[in-house]
């Protein structure tokens, strides 16, 4: 009897240890707050992966730059200090400059075009470089964040000349610097987490971001105008360290990619659905005046020099491939 009980106990303990050994925990650090759509969906993504793998894969989420700034988080994924992050393509360009191409001003006709091309073979060599040189794999190439628009403190902006002499906050990315210079303003790099304070203290005169960011980060509270320039698309990604991905069982990798795709699609739907209501809330607040009659053609004309200036950084072959894919898409 004793031996049978001992054998049963040993079997149970062995089963528990095997399950424990197989269970994996991934750390996911990102820059968004839990009040933002992305923050909510990242947590939901983690919860669904855990549930779909029967608890075999746990993703611990660290929002709001708890583990570092956006670019730092991305580099931590490269080093394996962090498993997953969700950088903008502009931030990712710190390692692969060609990932800045989707952020070129007035590159895209609409979101449908951008999504199709970013998912296409035109971007495969760029993502291959990210994987092969930096050990980072995109779990989702697509994370819609919206079209970026200008906000300013006390000057209405309808054409590029209206920005003349203003200090405009930019991310630490060369394409933004070249773009703002082309518009006649002074590009001023400020970390994302410090933008509200910089606007409030008038360290800068304005900034540019998608409506969901302007709304959720309350930039409109310390700005007088929102100009609907729609000059640039912001697309983020969900990425994972290559070795972290390799340690997962094949079926768990499938779950990870499937849940990332689901979260990406849900994010696009929710962001686009809520943009109009967010803009209306900004309008009703009385803090910022919405400027709709922007001369976008004038901004587009000024923007043409940006891609030329960036060609050496991005790589002519990469840029030509993307432009050819866009041209082919438009001819269909």
């Amino acid at each position: 009897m004793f031996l049978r009980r001992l054998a049963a106990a040993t079997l149970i303990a062995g089963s528990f240890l095997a399950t424990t050994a197989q269970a994996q925990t991934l750390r996911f650090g990102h820059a968004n707050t839990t009040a933002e759509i992305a923050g909510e969906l990242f947590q939901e993504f983690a919860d669904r992966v855990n549930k779909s793998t029967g608890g075999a894969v746990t993703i611990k989420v660290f929002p709001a730059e708890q583990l570092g700034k956006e670019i730092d988080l991305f580099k931590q994924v490269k080093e394996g200090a962090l498993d997953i992050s969700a950088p903008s393509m502009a931030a990712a360009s710190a390692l692969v400059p060609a990932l800045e191409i989707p952020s070129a001003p007035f590159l895209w006709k609409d979101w449908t075009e951008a999504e199709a091309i970013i998912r296409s073979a035109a971007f495969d060599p760029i993502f291959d470089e990210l994987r092969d040189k930096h050990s980072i794999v995109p779990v989702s190439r697509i994370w819609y964040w919206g079209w970026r628009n200008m906000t300013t403190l006390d000057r209405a902006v309808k054409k590029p000349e209206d920005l003349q002499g203003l200090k405009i906050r930019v991310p630490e990315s060369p394409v933004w610097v070249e773009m703002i210079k082309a518009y006649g303003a002074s590009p001023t790099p400020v970390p994302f987490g410090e933008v509200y304070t910089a606007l409030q203290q008038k360290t800068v005169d304005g900034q540019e971001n998608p409506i969901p960011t302007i709304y959720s980060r309350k930039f409109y509270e310390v700005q007088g105008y929102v100009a609907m320039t729609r000059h640039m698309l912001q697309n983020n990604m969900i990425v994972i360290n290559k070795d972290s991905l390799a340690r997962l069982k094949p079926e768990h990798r499938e779950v990870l990619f499937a849940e990332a795709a689901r979260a990406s699609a849900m994010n696009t739907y929710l962001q686009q659905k809520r943009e109009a209501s967010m803009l209306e809330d900004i309008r009703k607040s009385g803090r910022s005046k919405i400027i709709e009659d922007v001369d976008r053609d004038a901004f587009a004309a000024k923007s043409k020099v940006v891609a030329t200036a960036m060609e050496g950084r991005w790589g002519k072959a990469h840029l030509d491939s993307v432009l050819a894919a866009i041209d082919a898409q438009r001819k269909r």
Side-chain angles (χ1 to χ4, degrees):
M1 179 67 72
F2 172 76
L3 291 177
R4 283 201 298 270
R5 288 177 179 173
L6 179 61
T10 302
L11 182 63
I12 293 170
S15 176
F16 172 77
L17 289 172
T19 301
T20 303
Q22 292 171 2
Q24 291 179 282
T25 298
L26 302 174
R27 297 165 74 244
F28 181 179
H30 64 82
N32 301 104
T33 68
T34 54
E36 292 176 287
I37 294 170
E40 294 176 10
L41 287 173
F42 290 149
Q43 185 59 59
E44 183 178 302
F45 160 70
D47 293 341
R48 288 179 64 91
V49 168
N50 180 263
K51 183 177 180 180
S52 297
T53 60
V57 179
T58 297
I59 299 177
K60 290 187 176 180
V61 182
F62 299 86
E65 298 183 332
Q66 289 181 29
L67 302 181
K69 303 294 185 185
E70 183 182 26
I71 292 178
D72 297 329
L73 294 172
F74 184 59
K75 291 180 178 179
Q76 287 176 40
V77 174
K78 169 185 168 71
E79 300 300 328
L82 184 66
D83 300 295
I84 303 172
S85 191
S88 66
M89 285 188 148
S93 73
L95 296 182
V96 179
L99 283 169
E100 216 171 38
I101 292 174
S103 301
F106 294 94
L107 176 66
W108 308 108
K109 180 178 68 176
D110 53 33
W111 168 246
T112 301
E113 176 180 90
E115 183 176 18
I117 301 302
I118 293 170
R119 290 188 190 279
S120 77
F123 271 87
D124 286 351
I126 298 172
F127 286 110
D128 288 348
E129 181 180 342
L130 183 65
R131 179 196 63 214
D132 298 339
K133 290 188 177 180
H134 303 288
S135 299
I136 298 175
V137 178
V139 181
S140 174
R141 294 185 183 187
I142 297 296
W143 193 268
Y144 175 85
W145 205 252
W147 301 94
R148 297 176 78 98
N149 301 281
M150 293 283 178
T151 73
T152 47
L153 176 62
D154 54 13
R155 188 186 299 181
V157 173
K158 295 186 178 182
K159 56 187 184 300
E161 290 76 14
D162 294 331
L163 289 167
Q164 190 74 36
L166 295 184
K167 290 187 293 183
I168 302 297
R169 177 268 172 180
V170 295
E172 296 179 52
S173 179
V175 68
W176 267 268
V177 172
E178 292 298 326
M179 177 184 71
I180 295 301
K181 283 166 57 179
Y183 298 160
S186 176
T188 308
V190 176
F192 183 63
E194 300 171 18
V195 175
Y196 186 94
T197 301
L199 295 171
Q200 187 178 46
Q201 296 179 351
K202 302 180 183 179
T203 306
V204 292
D205 302 300
Q207 63 87 51
E208 48 78 60
N209 257 300
I211 293 301
T213 302
I214 294 169
Y215 179 79
S216 63
R217 297 288 176 146
K218 301 186 184 301
F219 295 156
Y220 67 92
E221 292 184 346
V222 286
Q223 295 279 269
Y225 298 92
V226 177
M228 300 301 290
T229 48
R230 292 174 59 86
H231 54 273
M232 180 187 285
L233 173 69
Q234 178 160 336
N235 181 62
N236 290 21
M237 307 177 290
I238 302 176
V239 298
I240 188 170
N241 175 271
K242 183 170 70 172
D243 293 334
S244 298
L245 182 63
R247 284 193 290 270
L248 297 178
K249 290 183 175 182
E251 60 268 31
H252 294 161
R253 286 180 223 153
E254 289 182 14
V255 168
L256 192 76
F257 279 90
E259 291 300 340
R262 178 192 175 278
S264 171
M266 183 60 69
N267 174 71
T268 299
Y269 170 75
L270 291 175
Q271 296 281 24
Q272 292 181 344
K273 181 180 179 181
R274 295 184 191 179
E275 275 177 346
S277 63
M278 289 175 178
L279 195 60
E280 186 58 27
D281 285 347
I282 293 173
R283 195 190 311 274
K284 288 179 178 178
S285 75
R287 302 287 187 91
S288 286
K289 181 178 179 181
I290 310 298
I291 302 173
E292 303 277 6
D293 56 335
V294 174
D295 188 348
R296 296 186 70 250
D297 289 340
F299 275 100
K302 289 284 187 180
S303 299
K304 288 180 180 178
V305 300
V306 177
T308 303
M310 292 288 98
E311 187 178 274
R313 169 176 163 80
W314 295 341
K316 188 176 186 304
H318 287 320
L319 181 58
D320 287 348
S321 177
V322 172
L323 293 177
I326 292 172
D327 186 56
Q329 178 84 0
R330 291 177 182 176
K331 288 178 179 177
R332 289 177 185 170

